[in-house]
Amino acid sequence: MRFFSLLLLSVLFVSCSSSTPEDLSGEIDRLIAEEEYSRAIELLENADEREHEADIPELKEKTYLNYGLYLEYRGPEESSMRDRMTSALEQFIKVLEINPENEKARTEIQQIMGIYETMPDRSPGDEIVEDLQALGVEY
C-alpha cells in the first residue's frame, strides 16, 4: 500500500510540475502551426525563464517573425491590406528588438516599405517609422 501511495504521489508530482523546455518549445511550435499567435505570445510573456530552460527570447523572436509573415501574406481576411501590413511591421519590429541581425525580418520590412514608397501620401504611421529608424531602418 505504501508503495502504491508513493507511486501515485510521484505521478501527481510529475504531472503537476512546470512544463519542461521541450514542452514549452513544443507548445509554441504547435500554436504557430495552428496560427494561434496571440496565444503563443501570451504564453511566452507569462513564462518564467527560471522555470524553463528553453530560450524564451529565441522563441519570442520565432513567434513574432511567423506572426508577421502570417499577417503579411495571409492575414485575417476581414482586415484591410494596410492594416495587415502595418501589423506585420509591428511584429517585425519586435523581432529586431530581440535580434537586430534577423535578416528575414529586415527583408520583409524592406519589401513592405518599398510598397509604401510606391503609394502617394501613404505611410505606415509616424510611430512605426520612428521605431524603424531607431532600429537603423531608414524610410
Side-chain angles (χ1 to χ4, degrees), residues 9-68:
L9 182 60
S10 58
V11 169
L12 287 173
F13 177 74
V14 169
S15 66
C16 293
S17 66
S18 298
S19 298
T20 64
E22 296 81 24
D23 290 339
L24 181 61
S25 296
E27 181 68 6
I28 296 302
D29 287 342
R30 183 187 68 75
L31 291 169
I32 289 172
E34 294 175 1
E35 298 179 345
E36 296 278 342
Y37 300 103
S38 296
R39 176 69 185 115
I41 291 167
E42 178 184 337
L43 185 63
L44 289 167
E45 291 297 327
N46 293 324
D48 185 346
E49 291 190 37
R50 296 171 296 193
E51 293 179 11
H52 300 282
E53 292 179 19
D55 188 343
I56 293 175
E58 185 178 293
L59 290 173
K60 286 180 180 181
E61 177 184 355
K62 177 181 179 177
T63 303
Y64 291 133
L65 181 65
N66 279 280
Y67 193 16

Side-chain angles (χ1 to χ4, degrees), residues 16-18 20 26 35 38 40-41 46 48 53 55 64 67 70-72 91 96 98 101-102 108 110 118 122 130 137:
C16 293
S17 66
S18 298
T20 64
E35 298 179 345
S38 296
I41 291 167
N46 293 324
D48 185 346
E53 292 179 19
D55 188 343
Y64 291 133
Y67 193 16
Y70 163 77
L71 291 166
E72 183 178 1
Q91 299 308 310
L96 294 181
I98 295 168
E101 304 303 316
N102 189 302
E108 297 303 319
Q110 290 173 348
T118 66
R122 294 289 181 153
E130 290 171 14
V137 178

Side-chain angles (χ1 to χ4, degrees), residues 88-99:
L89 284 171
E90 290 170 348
Q91 299 308 310
F92 296 137
I93 288 168
K94 290 177 183 179
V95 170
L96 294 181
E97 289 172 344
I98 295 168
N99 177 7

Side-chain angles (χ1 to χ4, degrees), residues 63-89:
T63 303
Y64 291 133
L65 181 65
N66 279 280
Y67 193 16
L69 293 169
Y70 163 77
L71 291 166
E72 183 178 1
Y73 293 106
R74 294 182 312 282
E77 291 181 17
E78 65 275 1
S79 63
S80 71
M81 178 68 81
R82 179 180 168 86
D83 289 341
R84 288 182 24 218
M85 293 303 112
T86 301
S87 295
L89 284 171

